[in-house]
Amino acid sequence: MPLSDRELMQRLASGDREALSPLMERHSKRVYRIALSYLRDADDALDAVQDTFVKAFQNAARWDPASEVAPWLMRIAVNHSIDQYRRGKRRGVHHTPLVDGDHDERIAAQEVSPERHAQGRELGEKIARALETLPEGHRAVFVLRHYDGMSLEEISGTLKLSLGTVKSSLHRATHRLRERLAELAP
Amino acid sequence: MSFEHLRTWRRLSLLASDALDAAEGERALTHVAACSRCAAELQSLRGALAQLLRDPARTAEPQVGVDLLVQRTHARIERASTATAVVSGWRVAWVPVAAAALLALVVRVAGPARSPEAVGTRAGANAADRVAVSDEALRRLERTVEREQAARYLNDAEAVLVTVAAAPHHCDRNHETVDMAEERRRSRELLTRRALLVDIDSEGIRSVRPVLEDVERLLRQVATLDACAKPEELLAIHEELRDRRLLMKIDLMTRELLG
């Protein structure tokens, strides 16, 4: 019978690195999507996944055994992504926006038509620009709701915010994004 | 305008986000069915969200398998623990140095007291030789540690100054202020570290003293900036960095220190 997340975290806290593998199998995709929503670059998001689990290993002893593992991991992922995003922004890093299907090889293999590639690229750029205008707290709430599918209560627990703050952040983020998308419309 | 209308209006974005519980959602939808303004607003919000939810990042999958990710993560943990060991090693390097210094002092003070008449004897000569060798080793060790500490300090200071000089992240939408909170914090940390670990007057790092002084002056300027600084406050720092070619000098001096 596979070990639960809590059991794996306890092993990690005692220095058993092998516990990382099943934890990463279960949670790395979620971490990847959260990181990608901030960093907009597949390689940077992969780096963020690895760094998130390195931090999880290094801080496993601080994890509260009474709390759930996934929200704790997602909190690390959000904080790390925000940190990386700030650094990239300060250094003026500009990434090619994501497109549906993501990679040029797939276009070459005729899996994604050039038209769809161009549309996806434009859409990805537009969404990235719209998301960038959100304050960090609002963006984190929006990403956890719409990219990770967390409930408001889960977001509240993950980001250590009151439920009221989560609701008002989501409300403001949605309105701000609608305005921004309208401004960016061709 | 009824209370129910206001209540629902404020919840429309949460309704569009499917974030209301079942009872709240039903109540809001009942009002929307009878309120054309609310219905239009809900439709508009859902339209915007529908666009955002087509973001490819929402459904993207890592382009490498989880096994490879696990391997790379293990490698990073290895590297991180090695780096920590090196830093700790630098920090604790002073402990054996101090212990050796103390021992040398004890040998010097206690030696003659035990056998004042033994000066010139073979035993006395051996003791003197041992002390002389320890002093030399001590000086070499001190010098190496000093230089490593200085190189590390310069390296970290360079990282802070590079981000100060790089494209800034604005605190506000009008780009009137620049976010310097992190650089300010790191500058303060570095200045404390310099005061504790790098003796600017030491013989071993005399050749890099002018660069250390320039770096310290700039770090002090960064440390006193507001968390949201005005761009013009950064101009003097940018100009000094450029005019003194400080980043280049830091690179050269760091290499020299590390031999």
Side-chain angles (χ1 to χ4, degrees):
Chain A
M1 191 177 161
L3 295 175
S4 68
D5 279 359
R6 279 206 173 91
E7 288 166 327
L8 290 168
M9 275 306 297
Q10 278 157 3
R11 289 197 174 194
L12 215 54
S14 66
D16 177 6
R17 274 197 228 166
E18 294 311 308
L20 264 183
S21 179
L23 274 176
M24 288 184 75
E25 263 176 42
R26 286 175 207 172
H27 301 289
S28 59
K29 282 184 187 173
R30 287 179 72 184
V31 170
Y32 178 75
R33 284 172 194 159
I34 287 172
L36 196 58
S37 74
Y38 276 91
L39 305 171
R40 315 302 301 184
D41 177 84
D43 292 332
D44 287 350
L46 281 177
D47 272 343
V49 173
Q50 295 162 62
D51 288 337
T52 296
F53 284 97
V54 170
K55 285 183 179 173
F57 174 73
Q58 289 169 336
N59 294 292
R62 291 188 207 163
W63 169 72
D64 172 9
S67 64
E68 293 288 337
V69 176
W72 184 74
L73 282 173
M74 298 313 138
R75 184 176 164 80
I76 296 176
V78 168
N79 287 337
H80 184 76
S81 301
I82 289 173
D83 198 33
Q84 288 302 106
Y85 170 76
R86 280 185 190 161
R87 283 184 204 171
K89 199 159 181 178
R90 284 197 189 124
R91 284 177 173 79
V93 174
H94 178 75
H95 292 305
T96 307
L98 291 168
V99 296
D100 220 354
D102 205 19
H103 290 289
D104 291 342
E105 306 89 71
R106 291 189 63 190
I107 297 176
Q110 302 297 308
E111 287 180 41
V112 180
S113 72
E115 292 77 18
R116 192 162 171 225
H117 180 80
Q119 284 166 2
R121 191 185 188 85
E122 199 180 312
L123 177 70
E125 190 168 5
K126 199 169 147 182
I127 291 170
R129 278 202 224 150
L131 284 170
E132 266 180 11
T133 64
L134 294 182
E136 273 160 12
H138 296 183
R139 186 173 179 180
V141 169
F142 186 86
V143 164
L144 290 179
R145 172 68 198 143
H146 289 295
Y147 286 68
D148 193 56
M150 278 192 191
S151 68
L152 301 191
E153 289 75 14
E154 286 170 327
I155 297 171
S156 162
T158 300
L159 298 180
K160 309 282 182 215
L161 298 172
S162 71
L163 194 56
T165 304
V166 170
K167 284 181 181 174
S168 71
S169 299
L170 186 59
H171 171 80
R172 287 182 186 165
T174 311
H175 280 267
R176 171 78 79 94
L177 287 170
R178 179 176 60 171
E179 284 165 25
R180 197 70 189 114
L181 285 175
E183 287 167 17
L184 292 170
Chain B
M1 199 173 285
S2 71
F3 171 76
E4 187 62 20
H5 174 77
L6 282 176
R7 191 175 188 283
T8 307
W9 185 261
R10 287 195 198 124
R11 282 166 173 71
L12 286 176
S13 54
L14 300 183
L15 183 64
S17 299
D18 288 329
L20 291 179
D21 63 40
E24 282 269 11
E26 202 171 320
R27 184 172 166 181
L29 282 172
T30 306
H31 177 79
V32 169
C35 170
S36 57
R37 199 170 151 221
C38 296
E41 176 71 355
L42 180 62
Q43 193 180 1
S44 163
L45 288 166
R46 280 184 172 154
L49 280 174
Q51 268 197 71
L52 289 160
L53 300 187
R54 281 162 53 209
D55 185 356
R58 287 186 68 247
T59 51
E61 303 243 335
Q63 300 291 311
V64 299
V66 73
D67 289 345
L68 187 56
L69 271 178
V70 171
Q71 268 179 35
R72 287 181 185 173
T73 306
H74 280 299
R76 279 182 194 212
I77 289 171
E78 283 292 335
R79 280 202 299 274
S81 52
T82 308
T84 308
V86 169
V87 172
S88 307
W90 285 345
R91 282 185 187 147
V92 299
W94 288 105
V95 174
V97 169
L102 187 63
L103 184 64
L105 192 64
V106 167
V107 168
R108 277 180 177 161
V109 171
R114 272 201 312 268
S115 54
E117 67 284 0
V119 178
T121 65
R122 188 65 207 150
N126 283 346
D129 286 349
R130 281 199 297 276
V131 171
V133 170
S134 295
D135 280 350
E136 182 53 33
L138 195 63
R139 273 196 294 276
R140 276 205 305 272
L141 186 57
E142 275 178 350
R143 189 179 155 85
T144 306
V145 172
E146 270 173 0
R147 293 174 74 84
E148 281 177 351
Q149 296 281 14
R152 188 166 169 76
Y153 162 73
L154 281 176
N155 212 22
D156 291 349
E158 185 184 27
V160 172
L161 295 173
V162 163
T163 60
V164 172
H169 177 208
H170 294 282
C171 280
D172 58 305
R173 287 185 78 184
N174 298 327
H175 294 189
E176 285 172 357
T177 53
V178 181
D179 181 1
M180 281 289 126
E182 180 64 11
E183 285 73 13
R184 192 175 69 154
R185 184 187 65 75
R186 289 170 64 197
S187 294
R188 288 174 182 179
E189 269 178 18
L190 277 169
L191 288 167
T192 308
R193 201 168 101 200
R194 209 289 295 152
L196 283 171
L197 299 175
V198 182
D199 178 3
I200 212 160
D201 296 320
S202 165
E203 183 71 24
I205 53 175
R206 178 176 285 176
S207 62
V208 300
R209 182 174 169 161
V211 174
L212 284 169
E213 285 172 344
D214 285 346
V215 166
E216 179 147 348
R217 193 175 53 256
L218 280 177
L219 287 180
R220 285 191 190 286
Q221 288 181 41
V222 177
T224 53
L225 288 171
D226 286 336
C228 283
K230 291 181 179 160
E232 53 268 29
E233 291 175 320
L234 296 181
L235 270 181
I237 299 174
H238 290 176
E239 279 169 10
E240 194 161 354
L241 270 174
R242 189 190 58 226
D243 294 348
R244 291 181 179 271
R245 297 180 178 176
L246 197 54
L247 296 177
M248 184 189 75
K249 286 181 188 168
I250 291 174
D251 272 341
L252 292 172
M253 292 301 111
T254 308
R255 274 183 230 160
E256 186 191 313
L257 284 168
L258 295 174

